[in-house]
Amino acid sequence: MDMNDWGIDCPLKWLLFQQVLGTLKTNNIHISTTKTLLEIAKHEDIGINQDEEVKRCLQYCHNIGTIIYFNEEHLQRYVILDPKWLVNAFRCLVSDKIEDMVRVSDDWQTLRETGELTDLLISRLFQKEPTLGFFENKRHLIEVMKRFDIIVSLRNSVALYMPCMMKSYSFEEFGKQFVDGKKYYFRTSWLCLEFEFLPPAFFNHILAWYIKQYDVSIIFDRGTRKERKALYRQIGVFNLDSSGCEQLVICEGPNIIALQVWNSQRSDQTYGYLKSSLVHFVVELGDHYKLRIKFTITFKCNEGDFTIHRKKMKDLLFKYYHCQEHETDHSSGDLVIPWEMNEELE
């Protein structure tokens, strides 16, 4: 019995089945069809005769970390018996230990520059380890990686992106690329979630969450002289509607997640729903991964650097506050009204 099982009630036949799964893993069987495992479970030495009970047992094994199994569409046909096998498949996609032919390919350069992962490149990279069966199980591996937000599909597109492979950019550098100085945008204040500690991969999940909801904005990269998706390792820009007039900017800073909306048409729009949905998702994500996530909502003026001199609600009790960055007074309402939090000041 594994230490992960400690303190959890488990039928004896489930433990017998778990031992069989462990034996398969020891024999280098990294992945199996669920159908095969259903048949094994019904063997008289184990005696789990109902398919639903087998699936509950597989879910139990998944929950304690011994296998990877999802009873969901696109995922339920296979069970990964060795979680390290999935980790090794992921390493295949991100390692730069590749043949020169792959290294100089356009697909590899695109992955390193933008995070976009083509189907052809996945095949080439998985074929680096022919004995591990990554290429033969490519479809399932992609779906599992999508489930963990290692890979994410763009909305209304077959294009795949890897957040961890996206180019790193500061917001200052990004602003020079994205914002045309001749065009004026109304900008909300920055809404910031200020964490006691922000786990390294946490922002990837948030970025993936927005990628699934909204179309990614297009920018003209002045370096390459080409259009590209406005996705970077710490930054994403999304169209809030099909007009492209409203754009959501999501950024990561040191223990900070920051939101701002750019609107080319009007300045009086409010976005309380964006604040509420982000807070809800962050709490939900922390609960899902059993993380003690603590954060405070803070604000920064719309032209300011969200990584410094943020203001808490208690700092905005008067009509004006002093902005240390710009050495002038700003309206407190300008910080909170765009996020529909002005009632909390009254």
Side-chain angles (χ1 to χ4, degrees):
M1 186 172 181
D2 193 280
M3 284 299 293
N4 288 325
D5 305 333
W6 191 260
I8 300 176
D9 291 333
C10 180
L12 176 60
K13 55 187 175 181
W14 285 24
L15 295 178
L16 294 173
F17 185 48
Q18 189 178 358
Q19 288 177 354
V20 172
L21 298 179
T23 300
L24 293 173
K25 170 185 168 182
T26 301
N27 291 330
N28 293 320
I29 299 175
H30 307 293
I31 186 171
S32 170
T33 64
T34 306
K35 182 179 179 181
T36 297
L37 297 182
L38 290 173
E39 293 172 355
I40 291 174
K42 292 174 184 176
H43 190 278
E44 61 181 13
D45 290 340
I46 299 175
I48 308 177
N49 297 314
Q50 300 298 318
D51 288 357
E52 287 306 311
E53 185 179 2
V54 179
K55 292 177 182 178
R56 289 198 302 273
C57 181
L58 290 172
Q59 187 62 57
Y60 162 79
C61 293
H62 171 90
N63 291 343
I64 64 174
T66 57
I67 66 170
I68 296 174
Y69 167 73
F70 295 100
N71 189 18
E72 301 171 5
E73 188 179 4
H74 306 306
L75 292 169
Q76 60 189 356
R77 288 186 59 199
Y78 294 92
V79 179
I80 294 177
L81 302 175
D82 183 3
K84 290 182 180 178
W85 182 71
L86 175 64
V87 174
N88 290 332
F90 168 67
R91 286 175 177 165
C92 255
L93 299 181
V94 299
S95 172
D96 58 2
K97 295 180 180 179
I98 52 177
E99 297 176 357
D100 290 341
M101 183 177 67
V102 175
R103 190 185 304 277
V104 299
S105 69
D106 290 342
D107 287 351
W108 177 255
Q109 296 304 319
T110 298
L111 173 64
R112 301 288 292 182
E113 180 69 24
T114 70
E116 184 176 0
L117 186 62
T118 66
D119 189 73
L120 177 60
L121 183 60
I122 293 173
S123 296
R124 283 183 166 184
L125 294 175
F126 277 168
Q127 286 169 341
K128 291 191 301 181
E129 299 287 352
T131 62
L132 293 179
F134 297 145
F135 177 73
E136 292 79 3
N137 294 283
K138 182 176 74 171
R139 287 296 111 204
H140 186 68
L141 282 168
I142 289 174
E143 291 301 323
V144 172
M145 289 185 186
K146 286 163 68 174
R147 182 63 171 74
F148 285 116
D149 293 335
I150 296 170
I151 292 174
V152 60
S153 296
L154 262 59
R155 186 168 174 258
N156 301 322
S157 171
V158 296
L160 299 174
Y161 280 75
M162 293 188 75
C164 70
M165 292 294 284
M166 293 173 184
K167 188 175 182 179
S168 182
Y169 247 42
S170 70
F171 186 75
E172 182 181 3
E173 292 172 314
F174 171 75
K176 294 175 183 177
Q177 289 282 358
F178 189 84
V179 182
D180 185 343
K182 297 179 181 179
K183 186 174 182 180
Y184 183 76
Y185 285 86
F186 297 106
R187 300 187 187 189
T188 66
S189 60
W190 286 102
L191 174 81
C192 303
L193 304 189
E194 190 172 328
F195 295 80
E196 291 183 0
F197 172 71
L198 185 61
F202 204 82
F203 185 73
N204 283 357
H205 292 290
I206 293 173
L207 193 62
W209 181 61
Y210 281 116
I211 289 172
K212 295 170 189 175
Q213 293 184 77
Y214 299 106
D215 291 331
V216 180
S217 299
I218 303 295
I219 64 171
F220 181 74
D221 191 315
R222 294 173 184 174
T224 62
R225 309 298 296 173
K226 295 179 181 178
E227 288 188 343
R228 59 161 290 167
K229 301 289 186 183
L231 288 175
Y232 294 87
R233 190 171 298 181
Q234 293 94 8
I235 304 168
V237 183
F238 304 91
N239 296 330
L240 290 178
D241 58 31
S242 58
S243 72
C245 296
E246 283 184 296
Q247 292 164 315
L248 168 67
V249 185
I250 175 79
C251 299
E252 180 188 26
N255 291 326
I256 302 164
I257 294 171
L259 282 185
Q260 188 176 63
V261 177
W262 297 349
N263 192 320
S264 61
Q265 296 296 313
R266 52 188 294 189
S267 61
D268 59 348
Q269 192 78 5
T270 59
Y271 301 95
Y273 72 97
L274 292 176
K275 180 264 297 182
S276 298
S277 61
L278 175 61
V279 168
H280 177 77
F281 180 70
V282 166
V283 172
E284 191 177 65
L285 193 61
D287 290 344
H288 177 75
Y289 287 104
K290 296 179 173 59
L291 298 172
R292 293 184 178 180
I293 297 294
K294 294 183 179 180
F295 62 88
T296 303
I297 293 179
T298 58
F299 306 89
K300 181 66 181 184
C301 59
N302 62 353
E303 296 291 340
D305 179 351
F306 64 82
T307 66
I308 59 173
H309 304 314
R310 294 174 300 279
K311 296 296 181 181
K312 298 179 181 179
M313 291 295 292
K314 66 181 181 64
D315 301 320
L316 303 172
L317 299 179
F318 296 94
K319 187 175 182 180
Y320 296 96
Y321 72 94
H322 186 72
C323 175
Q324 293 168 279
E325 182 179 357
H326 297 123
E327 297 184 348
T328 188
D329 295 340
H330 293 326
S331 166
S332 297
D334 288 346
L335 291 190
V336 299
I337 289 174
W339 308 106
E340 298 175 9
M341 296 183 68
N342 42 306
E343 290 185 2
E344 298 185 31
L345 293 181
E346 298 175 357

